[in-house]
């Protein structure tokens, strides 16, 4: 491993696992070695713990290095700045977060499609609570590090799926409602179980606060949204 000094800092890899070229005339990006990939994964996993607990402002390189089990100079060899670690985590997270919405199929039946979306979002709340809190912390700070992703990637996808929902409403398959606020409502109700997990478990108590709380939540939210979206007969 090269010495971790300022003159020989390796550039952090992009989301595609490539080491980016340094500037005009630089050599093309090159793939990470196996060891470099492993080190990146260790650092990102540790950073997820630290950022989700302390937020971007409260997290430090020293904390991340300690959780990763490596020295600060060694960590800085792979990621010279805290911002780069955070950006990598958020970029990957946003892609993961958008995947369930992307899977909503315009050619499918709206009720199974929406029910599946609710289920997938609750599964993410159950399986990725740290990622959810990381995203929530970024939103609470005004999304300064990912505003372009939100204004482009997220908005474009929500616009696309809002049109899918509107087409189902035009066909009489769903009750008429605002598709954007429908999507927001699904986000709010499902991610609550990750961002406010301590509160949920405390209020439900030992008898209901175990893993079964996610299935209970899924059944309730399915009933809530399916009932509200069922078209009403004229005069009913």
């Amino acid at each position: 491993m090269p010495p971790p000094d300022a003159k020989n800092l390796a550039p952090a890899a992009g989301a595609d696992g490539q080491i980016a070229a340094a500037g005009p005339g630089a050599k093309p990006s090159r793939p990470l070695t196996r060891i470099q990939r492993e080190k990146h994964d260790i650092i990102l996993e540790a950073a997820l713990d630290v950022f989700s607990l302390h937020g971007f402002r409260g997290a430090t390189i020293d904390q991340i290095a300690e959780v990763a089990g490596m020295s600060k100079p060694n960590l800085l060899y792979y990621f010279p700045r805290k911002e780069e670690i955070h950006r990598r985590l958020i970029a990957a997270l946003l892609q993961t977060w958008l995947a369930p919405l992307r899977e909503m199929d315009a050619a499918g039946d709206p009720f199974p499609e929406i029910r599946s979306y609710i289920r997938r979002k609750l599964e993410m709340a159950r399986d990725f609570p740290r990622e959810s809190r990381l995203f929530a912390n970024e939103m609470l700070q005004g999304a300064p590090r990912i505003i372009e992703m939100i204004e482009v990637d997220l908005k474009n996808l929500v616009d696309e799926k809002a049109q899918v929902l509107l087409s189902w409403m035009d066909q009489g398959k769903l009750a008429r409602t605002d598709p954007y606020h429908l999507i927001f409502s699904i986000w709010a109700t499902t991610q609550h179980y990750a961002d406010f997990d301590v509160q949920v478990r405390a209020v439900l108590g030992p008898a209901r606060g175990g893993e079964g709380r996610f299935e209970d939540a899924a059944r309730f939210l399915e009933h809530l949204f399916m009932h509200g979206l069922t078209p009403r007969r004229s005069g009913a």
Side-chain angles (χ1 to χ4, degrees):
M1 181 181 298
D5 55 48
K7 294 180 180 179
N8 201 24
L9 285 176
D16 57 358
Q18 302 280 318
I19 295 180
K27 295 181 180 179
S29 58
R30 62 187 186 278
L32 294 173
T33 66
R34 178 183 61 80
I35 293 176
Q36 287 173 327
R37 287 196 304 271
E38 290 174 354
K39 292 292 186 181
H40 273 77
D41 289 345
I42 290 170
I43 294 167
L44 292 171
E45 180 69 17
L48 181 56
D49 276 342
V50 175
F51 283 128
S52 66
L53 182 62
H54 300 287
F56 177 80
R57 293 176 182 173
T60 67
I61 288 290
D62 294 278
Q63 290 169 331
I64 297 170
E66 181 179 359
V67 174
M70 62 177 62
S71 68
K72 181 177 179 179
N74 195 11
L75 184 149
L76 291 173
Y77 167 74
Y78 293 98
F79 289 99
R81 300 170 66 244
K82 179 177 75 170
E83 289 79 2
E84 176 60 20
I85 305 175
H86 191 267
R87 186 193 66 79
R88 281 284 306 278
L89 285 172
I90 288 287
L93 168 60
L94 191 58
Q95 295 307 310
T96 301
W97 236 236
L98 295 181
L101 187 57
R102 285 198 182 97
E103 293 175 13
M104 186 182 289
D105 186 0
D109 186 314
F111 283 95
E113 290 297 322
I114 295 170
R115 186 179 291 112
S116 294
Y117 181 51
I118 293 169
R119 288 265 174 178
R120 288 194 294 270
K121 289 294 291 179
L122 276 172
E123 288 170 1
M124 294 184 70
R126 180 194 65 202
D127 298 338
F128 303 108
R130 295 176 303 166
E131 290 84 346
S132 183
R133 290 191 291 273
L134 174 69
F135 189 76
N137 279 328
E138 182 69 10
M139 294 302 100
L140 289 171
Q141 294 175 24
R145 288 159 288 276
I146 61 167
I147 190 64
E148 291 184 4
M149 298 181 200
I150 294 173
E151 292 179 341
V152 179
D153 297 345
L154 179 59
K155 177 170 171 48
N156 288 344
L157 180 60
V158 173
D159 285 345
E160 174 191 333
K161 297 308 179 180
Q163 289 303 310
V164 170
L165 292 166
L166 282 173
S167 71
W168 286 334
M169 295 172 198
D170 291 341
Q171 297 168 49
K173 296 180 178 179
L174 291 179
R176 180 69 58 180
T177 191
D178 187 309
Y180 290 93
H181 288 289
L182 172 58
I183 293 171
F184 295 158
S185 296
I186 293 174
W187 290 351
T189 51
T190 55
Q191 287 174 219
H192 176 86
Y193 291 91
D195 300 339
F196 293 86
D197 180 60
V198 172
Q199 174 180 273
V200 169
R201 288 186 287 110
V203 172
L204 289 176
R208 300 189 60 201
E211 283 299 305
R213 68 187 183 280
F214 291 100
E215 180 59 31
D216 292 342
R219 286 196 298 266
F220 170 77
L221 292 176
E222 286 175 10
H223 174 77
L224 178 69
F225 284 106
M226 298 307 103
H227 178 76
L229 292 170
T230 298
R232 301 293 186 261
R233 296 193 306 272
S234 179

